Amino acid sequence: AQSVTQLGSHVSVSEGALVLLRCNYSSSVPPYLFWYVQYPNQGLQLLLKYTSAATLVKGINGFEAEFKKSETSFHLTKPSAHMSDAAEYFCAVSDRGNTGFQKLVFGTGTRLLVSP
Amino acid sequence: DAGVTQSPTHLIKTRGQQVTLRCSPKSGHDTVSWYQQALGQGPQFIFQYYEEEERQRGNFPDRFSGHQFPNYSSELNVNALLLGDSALYLCASSLRQVGSGANVLTFGAGSRLTVL
């Protein structure tokens, strides 16, 4: 069964510092990978997704993630944190079935705290 | 363009009662999925509907049931509520595209259910 592990339930950075949120996946074949962000009292918003094109994926709000098959990782980074980045971030995986039906398996989330 | 809308936003029930949650998908989407997000956890897949039929189901008991209507809207029903059913219930919609890669899910803000 597919799964994802997010290391660190909380990550604290200063405004302007590098953001690094870690995600490792477990799958017998390279899956589709996603990062979502959840602001308080809101649903999940897609930041970026990996579907087997370029291994470095650029997303919204300056975020990017790199797929590393050898490390089974898909870490999320942003060069300079902004106060508005404070939120809960979820890594998710789905299989490569071509039925057109998407089922996501989420990690437990990492709360990003940004201090002035 | 309205995204995914869910109702009610908050509700409180007592153990043993039944609840119905509603979801209207994003315009143009034909597939609806439901996820349960317990406090401090990542969302877990409940089931998915397409063409008014359940297409995939996660590891949830039969107390959880759903329905999709001809206009693509959906309901999630939970019978015999338990304290452990307290969670944020997220609805996600997508457009089924066979063989086109990872279909993007659009999430609603959720319905927060508290069971006392």
Side-chain angles (χ1 to χ4, degrees), chain B residues 15-60:
Chain B
R15 282 180 298 174
Q17 285 189 313
Q18 178 264 346
V19 67
T20 297
L21 308 179
R22 296 174 176 83
C23 172
S24 292
K26 181 179 178 179
S27 177
H29 286 182
D30 57 10
T31 304
V32 173
S33 303
W34 288 91
Y35 288 79
Q36 180 195 65
Q37 185 179 16
L39 195 62
Q41 300 297 316
Q44 286 194 308
F45 177 76
I46 303 175
F47 44 51
Q48 182 177 69
Y49 279 84
Y50 173 77
E51 291 186 338
E52 302 179 48
E53 290 187 7
E54 183 182 291
R55 301 293 177 158
Q56 298 189 83
R57 188 179 183 92
N59 188 26
F60 279 81

Side-chain angles (χ1 to χ4, degrees), chain A residues 34-47:
Chain A
F34 307 79
W35 275 100
Y36 281 85
V37 62
Q38 186 176 37
Y39 298 100
N41 301 316
Q42 295 187 27
L44 300 168
Q45 180 183 9
L46 180 68
L47 282 176

Side-chain angles (χ1 to χ4, degrees), chain A residues 19-93:
Chain A
V19 175
L20 171 61
L21 304 182
R22 300 178 186 274
C23 173
N24 288 87
Y25 69 90
S26 173
S27 177
S28 57
V29 296
Y32 294 137
L33 291 159
F34 307 79
W35 275 100
Y36 281 85
V37 62
Q38 186 176 37
Y39 298 100
N41 301 316
Q42 295 187 27
L44 300 168
Q45 180 183 9
L46 180 68
L47 282 176
L48 48 81
K49 64 178 182 178
Y50 167 74
T51 59
S52 81
T55 56
L56 182 61
V57 182
K58 295 188 182 298
I60 62 171
N61 301 338
F63 285 93
E64 62 182 35
E66 186 172 8
F67 172 74
K68 291 187 176 180
K69 183 179 178 180
S70 60
E71 300 178 5
T72 62
S73 69
F74 191 58
H75 301 331
L76 182 71
T77 61
K78 182 174 181 178
S80 177
H82 192 273
M83 296 294 290
S84 61
D85 294 326
E88 187 88 18
Y89 291 80
F90 292 95
C91 181
V93 63

Side-chain angles (χ1 to χ4, degrees), chain A residues 38 43 49 98-100 102 104, chain B residues 35 37 48 96 98 102-103 108:
Chain A
Q38 186 176 37
K49 64 178 182 178
N98 62 358
T99 64
Q102 200 79 52
L104 297 178
Chain B
Y35 288 79
Q37 185 179 16
Q48 182 177 69
R96 184 188 181 205
V98 178
N103 297 323

